[in-house]
Amino acid sequence: MALIELRRFHLRGGVDEARWRDVDEEAQAVAHTQPGLLRRTTARRADGSGGWLVIELWRSSADADGRPDPDPALEVVDPATLAVERYATLD
């Protein structure tokens, strides 16, 4: 059964979208070298409120748990706003 991980957050104060996109591009490149990662997508809240979402699809929860830390994108994320949710796919 595959695992979907959702990370919802806002950026730290003083981090603009251009900086975030640079960091996210680096995180995307690193993520795609991880065994078991099938897809990673980043999205912005449609209402313009500044919220962001990263969706990762993993082959298994063991693969997601085995990724090295820290995720380079977390350096610009406001930790007080970070919410992580995991869902198992229906196989």
Side-chain angles (χ1 to χ4, degrees):
M1 151 175 7
L3 177 87
I4 298 170
E5 184 175 280
L6 306 176
R7 282 186 261 156
R8 291 180 291 119
F9 56 89
H10 287 262
L11 301 176
R12 290 183 188 268
V15 176
D16 63 11
E17 183 173 337
R19 170 79 174 120
W20 162 245
R21 291 178 76 120
D22 288 344
V23 170
D24 185 56
E25 188 175 312
E26 176 187 342
Q28 186 89 341
V30 169
H32 283 290
T33 67
Q34 303 308 306
L37 181 68
L38 303 173
R39 181 165 173 77
R40 182 181 185 279
T41 300
T42 303
R44 172 186 0 190
R45 280 192 60 123
D47 66 6
S49 66
W52 293 90
L53 174 69
V54 172
I55 304 166
E56 293 179 343
L57 176 60
W58 292 88
R59 185 176 49 223
S60 69
S61 61
D63 288 322
D65 291 341
R67 72 178 154 215
D69 284 324
D71 178 337
L74 292 178
E75 70 186 52
V76 297
V77 168
D78 178 351
T81 66
L82 180 62
V84 179
E85 299 176 57
R86 285 183 162 190
Y87 296 84
T89 60
L90 304 176
D91 292 335

